[in-house]
Amino acid sequence: MEENLRQLSNGVTKIIKIALFGPESTGKTTLAKQLAEHYRTEWVPEYAREYLQEKWDINQQICDVDDMLPIALGQTKLENEKALIANKYLFCDTNLLVTKVFSEVYYDYCDPLLEQAALEHQYDLFFLTDIDVPWEKDDLRDRPEERKSVFAIFKQSLIDNKKPFVILSGDKKLRLKKAVAIVNDLSKIREMGLSSLDYIQIYNKGIPIKNIQQQLSFFTNGITRSTLVESATLLNGILKLSDNDFRLKAAYFEANKSSLKLEKFVPASGAASRMFTFLSTFLNEFDVENESINAYINRKKDAELSIFIVGMDKFPFFAAIDKQLREEFTDFNSLDNSDKNYYFIKLLLAPEYFDFAGKPKAILPFHKYKTHIATPVEEHLNECVHYANSNLHFTVSESHQKQIESVIDDIKNKIENKSGTVIHTSYSYQNESTDTLAVDFENKPFRDENGTLFFRPGGHGALIENLNSLDADIIFIKNIDNILQNNIQKIALYKKALVGILIELQQQVFKYLHAIDAEEIQQEESEEILLFLAEKLNIRIPSRFYTLSFENKIIEIKAILNRPIRVCGMVKNEGEAGGGPFWVKDKKGSISLQIVESSQVDLSDDNQRKIVNASTHFNPVDIVCGIKNYKNEKFDLAQFVDHNSGFIVEKTTFGRDFKSYELPGLWNGAMAKWITVFVQVPLITFNPVKTVNDLLKPEHQP
């Protein structure tokens, strides 16, 4: 008996088995037939229908518990026969796990032999068919009113037995389309040596299989480094404006803003832990019983800690922590300075007190005013209204959103009343579909302690998806920590000027594109466009262009012009870590302006290292973007990413080392195929807070 319930293994048949699974009248048979026809292979019908129909026709008897085992035997025999003649795939209208569930639901009992066989039978994937299709009555079906509860039992059975499954909903046509896409992706996953459960994990995250294939290729073959031609400098890729020019460009923005939908985009996803790294290290390594803080500073040569302590009373949070210390220690004044400073730092970081390293950077106290302490989100709200913009979008960690919203709720009304502008705030998270697969040092998928694939967030380059979801004519981009306490009018002037430049360029680009569509471009006009590309957009036309026919030249010009545009403020390089503006050559030999990080460059190459060292400017992430085309349609920003400009990093988790891929940076490779214009802006526009000590700089002091 047990032998007759044994399923032919996939190792014998070399096919992929898909089981249709679900309550009665949920479209299993229809889908099994459709899939078999699509893939030109076999499908296994439901043996129980033939068996029970015959029983009804002869004796008008319905199914009972004694029929379960014969049905299981017949189903196993039928499946094994079909498996031997199937072509790559076998689609099973039903399986023994269905029989097991029905036996338990209807008779509150399952024969041990059936139960054992049902759990041992293996399928590469289960399609759990939803109950969103009409009930079709026949002689063998009953209890339509119980479909919902029975569906829940079926689903739980798959979960309890750790079976790989996908729920299929929708009409017949939609289900087939979904199922075919899933089967095709499953086949690719199996060819990559991954399991069905791996596929379900990837599917549930929404990660396209092509992304997994590409990431594994990067680990195996490496990522091509950027090839720098030269650094972008003033009058060679970077536009220099006079003070009057800036005012004129800002005025042009003011004259055109009423017809534009504006949005400010602020990446604010991170916790503030990096701001306080040196303080966390101090608390972990300081021998509080046997040394003073001065002794520790001398022993560790910790200049950062020394600066922090000397400037402690100038921090905007000093008064709040000092007050808490005096409540905690009634003898606080009698403590020596080393102990006072130690407890100050401890309360600053302690989770049960201020927990600054665990909070989002967006809500920390950054600036001290006469009437209150301001956080980064408040400063961004203030900047927002100074741009004549009422829409502000934050990318946040889901766990931080409520904290950020609470801070904004406390201050928004005050800013709105003062400015006369109603501010609309919105939020988004980094999508799980942008997570990337980790591998070990043999480039095999890295797994956690439960044996499941390990994924990491894809880095800030993943935020191109968040940017892509916004509907605006112009988007301002600025990091959450790049704010200052004073001179907001000047900051707003330069930002408006960048938009004024963008609008002027966009209007000319759109004019040319409309003329191309109207077939109004002749030889003379094409030469005017080429001059515009070279002088205004810094686009270098490759030599092959001049070998094309006139018609093909126009097609090429249209492709060059019909792209999103970004205008980026650049400040003089004063040694800050980060990316800068360069002329870069791609694999096809085309040269374009790009923002490049040093990690994207092969610094072992003397020529490349010299170009990096000769860089005169730095990217402060002061960017304005035009994300709509000349027909007022949104670009799909995912189409303008250079996927070969990501990063491979080494990390440690679960006590093991692994490699991870980080997506092309938001303003690096994620915008590599945009039209890019660089403009020199004053250093005053660049005021990042990377460590807590940056708050002691004059730009962040009253």
Side-chain angles (χ1 to χ4, degrees):
M1 180 74 77
E2 288 183 50
E3 182 69 25
N4 292 333
L5 286 171
R6 189 165 295 153
Q7 179 193 46
L8 285 179
S9 71
N10 286 8
V12 172
T13 61
K14 305 296 183 185
I15 59 173
I16 291 177
K17 287 184 181 179
I18 308 292
L20 284 300
F21 192 77
E24 293 178 324
S25 191
T26 54
K28 298 189 295 295
T29 302
T30 298
L31 184 59
K33 289 178 180 178
Q34 288 175 317
L35 288 168
E37 181 179 353
H38 178 86
Y39 289 100
R40 298 182 180 180
T41 188
E42 299 293 322
W43 70 284
V44 183
E46 184 182 5
Y47 176 76
R49 296 197 65 79
E50 176 186 344
Y51 176 91
L52 295 174
Q53 190 67 53
E54 183 178 345
K55 182 176 180 180
W56 174 261
D57 291 342
I58 295 173
N59 301 313
Q60 280 71 54
Q61 292 180 341
I62 62 172
C63 182
D64 61 43
V65 68
D66 293 333
D67 293 316
M68 294 295 100
L69 198 55
I71 288 172
L73 289 165
Q75 192 67 48
T76 303
K77 180 175 182 294
L78 190 55
E79 181 182 312
N80 288 341
E81 290 172 351
K82 294 287 188 178
L84 293 172
I85 59 173
N87 171 33
K88 191 175 180 179
Y89 303 101
L90 180 64
F91 299 99
C92 304
D93 178 15
T94 190
N95 55 83
L96 266 58
L97 194 57
V98 173
T99 311
K100 173 183 179 296
V101 172
F102 270 121
S103 184
E104 292 169 342
V105 168
Y106 279 78
Y107 310 114
D108 201 25
Y109 171 79
C110 182
D111 187 291
L113 287 176
L114 168 57
E115 181 169 18
Q116 180 181 346
L119 298 180
E120 289 176 353
H121 282 206
Q122 297 297 318
Y123 299 89
D124 295 278
L125 188 66
F126 286 78
F127 281 135
L128 176 57
T129 49
D130 206 346
I131 58 174
D132 60 340
V133 292
W135 174 271
E136 294 184 8
K137 180 174 174 54
D138 65 21
D139 293 339
L140 304 177
R141 290 175 175 161
D142 62 358
R143 305 190 189 183
E145 72 283 353
E146 295 182 7
R147 282 210 298 173
K148 187 174 181 179
S149 60
V150 173
F151 177 84
I153 293 170
F154 271 82
K155 181 179 179 180
Q156 194 60 47
S157 175
L158 293 171
I159 294 171
D160 292 344
N161 292 292
K162 297 179 180 173
K163 300 294 185 183
F165 74 94
V166 173
I167 298 175
L168 280 184
S169 304
D171 60 25
K172 294 177 183 179
K173 186 176 180 180
L174 181 58
R175 286 189 183 196
L176 177 62
K177 183 179 178 180
K178 288 180 181 178
V180 167
I182 290 168
V183 171
N184 290 344
D185 281 348
L186 175 63
S187 297
K188 293 173 187 175
I189 283 293
R190 298 302 296 270
E191 289 168 5
M192 294 159 60
L194 298 175
S195 71
S196 296
L197 289 174
D198 293 336
Y199 169 71
I200 294 302
Q201 189 181 355
I202 295 167
Y203 176 86
N204 288 337
K205 279 182 167 285
I207 302 174
I209 302 303
K210 66 179 181 179
N211 290 11
I212 301 294
Q213 292 172 318
Q214 187 178 57
Q215 290 161 24
L216 291 174
S217 175
F218 286 147
F219 289 124
T220 302
N221 303 316
I223 297 176
T224 303
R225 298 295 183 96
S226 296
T227 302
L228 306 183
V229 177
E230 58 183 327
S231 61
T233 56
L234 290 178
L235 307 181
N236 182 30
I238 302 178
L239 179 64
K240 182 178 181 179
L241 299 180
S242 66
D243 289 344
N244 189 53
D245 289 334
F246 275 115
R247 285 191 289 271
L248 289 173
K249 299 300 182 185
Y252 193 73
F253 160 70
E254 292 285 358
N256 287 272
K257 68 184 181 184
S258 61
S259 63
L260 299 171
K261 182 177 181 182
L262 309 172
E263 185 114 22
K264 186 178 183 184
F265 182 83
V266 181
S269 309
S273 53
R274 291 184 184 179
M275 277 182 63
F276 303 96
T277 299
F278 71 93
L279 294 179
S280 298
T281 300
F282 162 70
L283 291 178
N284 289 332
E285 298 182 359
F286 177 54
D287 186 354
V288 66
E289 300 293 335
N290 299 304
E291 67 178 340
S292 67
I293 289 183
N294 281 339
Y296 173 88
I297 290 172
N298 292 330
R299 175 167 65 86
K300 302 288 289 188
K301 297 181 174 58
D302 194 337
E304 286 184 296
L305 180 59
S306 178
I307 292 169
F308 179 86
I309 289 172
V310 170
M312 188 180 288
D313 62 344
K314 294 184 174 66
F315 285 112
F317 47 77
F318 174 80
I321 296 176
D322 184 67
K323 180 182 177 183
Q324 185 68 45
L325 281 171
R326 295 176 187 279
E327 292 177 2
E328 296 291 325
F329 298 93
T330 54
D331 60 343
F332 182 76
N333 287 330
S334 65
L335 297 176
D336 64 37
N337 285 336
S338 183
D339 284 343
K340 287 179 180 178
N341 293 335
Y342 169 73
Y343 288 118
F344 183 96
I345 295 169
K346 194 163 185 178
L347 260 66
L348 178 76
L349 300 186
E352 63 272 26
Y353 287 96
F354 290 86
D355 191 28
F356 275 12
K359 289 180 178 178
K361 186 185 286 190
I363 65 169
L364 294 186
F366 264 36
H367 298 150
K368 182 179 180 181
Y369 291 94
K370 290 182 179 179
T371 57
H372 70 293
I373 304 295
T375 62
V377 291
E378 178 176 344
E379 300 290 20
H380 276 285
L381 287 166
N382 269 316
E383 278 195 24
C384 191
V385 297
H386 277 80
Y387 302 157
N389 173 34
S390 61
N391 301 301
L392 181 55
H393 184 88
F394 293 100
T395 65
V396 300
S397 299
E398 188 171 0
S399 59
H400 291 159
Q401 181 174 343
K402 287 185 178 179
Q403 296 178 70
I404 293 173
E405 283 184 312
S406 176
V407 171
I408 288 177
D409 289 342
D410 287 342
I411 59 173
K412 193 156 75 88
N413 286 341
K414 180 183 73 174
I415 294 172
E416 288 176 336
N417 292 335
K418 184 177 179 181
S419 66
T421 301
V422 177
I423 304 170
H424 304 283
T425 53
S426 58
Y427 307 87
S428 63
Y429 315 131
Q430 185 171 314
N431 197 316
E432 266 197 317
S433 66
T434 62
D435 288 358
T436 61
L437 181 66
V439 299
D440 60 24
F441 282 83
E442 294 181 354
N443 296 324
K444 303 295 183 185
F446 185 87
R447 298 180 183 275
D448 65 18
E449 294 165 322
N450 298 316
T452 57
L453 297 175
F454 184 69
F455 291 87
R456 290 186 70 245
H460 88 291
L463 299 182
I464 195 69
E465 297 286 347
N466 304 62
L467 192 69
N468 202 26
S469 68
L470 298 183
D471 182 19
D473 298 304
I474 303 293
I475 298 178
F476 303 81
I477 298 181
K478 194 170 187 180
N479 275 337
I480 187 65
D481 62 356
N482 186 14
I483 53 171
L484 80 170
Q485 179 150 358
N486 305 300
N487 296 313
I488 193 168
Q489 296 289 350
K490 285 187 178 180
I491 295 294
L493 170 70
Y494 294 119
K495 203 75 166 185
K496 291 176 185 179
L498 294 182
V499 183
I501 294 168
L502 174 61
I503 295 170
E504 284 186 334
L505 294 174
Q506 235 183 14
Q507 287 174 344
Q508 190 62 55
V509 167
F510 291 176
K511 176 184 174 183
Y512 288 141
L513 288 169
H514 283 299
I516 289 172
D517 280 358
E519 299 182 353
E520 296 173 351
I521 302 295
Q522 302 300 320
Q523 184 67 39
E524 185 177 341
E525 288 84 3
S526 71
E527 291 174 2
E528 176 190 323
I529 296 175
L530 291 177
L531 191 63
F532 172 77
L533 292 175
E535 294 187 351
K536 299 298 183 180
L537 300 183
N538 283 299
I539 292 173
R540 297 185 179 181
I541 305 298
S543 56
R544 64 174 179 78
F545 173 85
Y546 297 98
T547 67
L548 301 174
S549 66
F550 179 74
E551 291 76 13
N552 285 332
K553 284 180 180 177
I554 297 302
I555 292 171
E556 186 89 355
I557 287 172
K558 183 173 182 180
I560 291 171
L561 288 173
N562 195 25
R563 295 182 288 158
I565 305 176
R566 59 175 176 163
V567 177
C568 312
M570 292 288 152
V571 298
K572 289 181 179 179
N573 192 338
E574 295 199 336
E576 294 281 355
F582 294 90
W583 291 98
V584 178
K585 181 187 291 185
D586 66 16
K587 289 189 294 185
K588 295 180 180 179
S590 297
I591 297 173
S592 62
L593 286 174
Q594 302 290 340
I595 298 171
V596 181
E597 306 279 344
S598 59
S599 55
Q600 295 175 257
V601 182
D602 181 5
L603 295 177
S604 66
D605 183 301
D606 288 342
N607 181 56
Q608 295 292 287
R609 188 173 65 256
K610 286 178 182 177
I611 294 173
V612 170
N613 292 338
S615 175
T616 59
H617 285 74
F618 176 82
N619 165 40
V621 191
D622 200 13
I623 301 174
V624 292
C625 306
I627 64 166
K628 290 185 177 179
N629 66 17
Y630 67 109
K631 297 179 180 178
N632 200 36
E633 301 164 334
K634 284 177 57 180
F635 286 106
D636 178 5
L637 302 183
Q639 301 302 313
F640 300 91
V641 176
D642 177 8
H643 295 284
N644 292 305
S645 58
F647 310 84
I648 293 176
V649 296
E650 296 181 6
K651 300 286 184 179
T652 301
T653 191
F654 313 118
R656 295 179 285 144
D657 296 331
F658 66 91
K659 294 190 294 185
S660 179
Y661 171 72
E662 293 197 0
L663 298 172
L666 178 57
W667 31 83
N668 308 112
M671 294 181 173
K673 298 176 184 178
W674 292 40
I675 294 173
T676 295
V677 176
F678 293 142
V679 181
Q680 179 175 275
V681 291
L683 276 168
I684 194 175
T685 62
F686 183 50
N687 305 281
V689 178
K690 301 304 179 186
T691 81
V692 65
N693 285 348
D694 286 332
L695 292 174
L696 298 175
K697 293 179 179 179
E699 296 84 358
H700 296 286
Q701 289 292 307

